[in-house]
Amino acid sequence: MKIGILALQGAFIEHEEIVRKLGATVIEIRQLSDLEEDIDGIILPGGESTAQGKLLKELGLLQVLKEIIQSGLPVMGVCAGLILLAEKLSNDTKQHLGTLPIKVKRNAYGRQLGSFSSQSIVKDIGTVPMTFIRAPYIEEVAPIVEVLAKVDEKIVGVCFQNQIGLSFHPELTNSFKVHHYFIELCKKNSLKNL
Ligand code: GLN
């Protein structure tokens, strides 16, 4: 299994460590040629979505990545990564990849109170610890989008076809459950395409 991890900005090292511990190979995505690797899935890490979106555009990665996601490659967007995937942002005029039919509110918990830990059930995975850092939450989902997790009535995890979007950082906890789930999804998808 080869998992591409967008490595332009933000918390990508933590994902790399977990993916390697789970026995998969990491391909850092930093430039267009990295997307020519035969990857089985992509992780979009947390960080600063405006900076990441700008870099994706400047490096000519945005459109290619969008097409790869639309063609069905499994992707997991975490926090800023979720914002990159969202079709609409309620408090920002930007749209980045726009492949996930949801409306997301950036910095939704307020800048000062933005960091906290919680735990909740994620559908098909079980109870997972969750770290939120200046996190977005999901305000609206299209009917075809499956809600995977809620914390305090707010949607913090969704799945739509090959796309998983999470408000929280699973890589900043000591649980590998979410990554394990994602890698299994990538395996199933690769088998399907054989
Ligand atoms: N607040 C950041 C943004 O809007 C996301 C924070 C994160 O990824 N932890 O991009």
Side-chain angles (χ1 to χ4, degrees):
M1 267 303 104
K2 281 192 199 170
I3 306 295
I5 300 182
L6 189 66
L8 300 179
Q9 190 274 340
F12 54 89
I13 302 281
E14 292 82 353
H15 288 286
E16 293 182 3
E17 283 167 5
I18 297 175
V19 165
R20 286 198 189 101
K21 278 188 188 145
L22 291 172
T25 303
V26 168
I27 305 291
E28 285 193 346
I29 309 290
R30 293 179 182 273
Q31 54 191 351
L32 213 45
S33 59
D34 299 326
L35 287 173
E36 285 159 18
E37 286 273 350
D38 200 10
I39 50 177
D40 301 291
I42 297 189
I43 296 177
L44 306 175
E48 174 53 49
S49 57
T50 309
Q52 292 184 2
K54 194 165 173 275
L55 286 167
L56 281 176
K57 229 184 209 164
E58 285 171 8
L59 293 162
L61 282 165
L62 193 74
Q63 190 56 29
V64 184
L65 202 53
K66 184 172 176 163
E67 282 162 20
I68 290 176
I69 294 168
Q70 282 171 335
S71 76
L73 191 77
V75 60
M76 178 167 81
V78 168
C79 207
L82 165 76
I83 295 168
L84 292 184
L85 290 173
E87 206 171 271
K88 283 191 205 133
L89 302 177
S90 61
N91 50 353
D92 196 320
T93 50
K94 278 183 225 59
Q95 187 206 59
H96 303 282
L97 294 160
T99 51
L100 186 52
I102 56 173
K103 192 200 245 181
V104 167
K105 183 172 183 184
R106 289 185 66 195
N107 300 316
Y109 296 92
R111 282 174 187 261
Q112 301 308 321
L113 299 171
S115 302
F116 60 97
S117 294
S118 184
Q119 62 168 27
S120 189
I121 294 171
V122 180
K123 190 173 175 289
D124 297 334
I125 301 182
T127 303
V128 301
M130 299 171 168
T131 299
F132 293 82
I133 303 171
R134 294 183 53 213
Y137 60 65
I138 299 153
E139 285 186 326
E140 282 173 26
V141 299
I144 34 173
V145 173
E146 192 177 4
V147 173
L148 295 182
K150 281 187 180 183
V151 168
D152 296 335
E153 303 300 308
K154 306 293 185 205
I155 302 171
V156 296
V158 291
C159 179
F160 169 61
Q161 297 171 348
N162 54 317
Q163 304 177 56
I164 294 177
L166 307 173
S167 297
F168 58 93
H169 290 259
E171 81 288 3
L172 300 180
T173 70
N174 52 16
S175 163
F176 298 170
K177 282 187 202 169
V178 172
H179 290 78
H180 177 75
Y181 175 80
F182 179 64
I183 290 174
E184 289 304 309
L185 201 86
C186 296
K187 278 186 195 160
K188 273 186 223 146
N189 186 66
S190 297
L191 288 174
K192 199 177 77 191
N193 293 334
L194 275 183

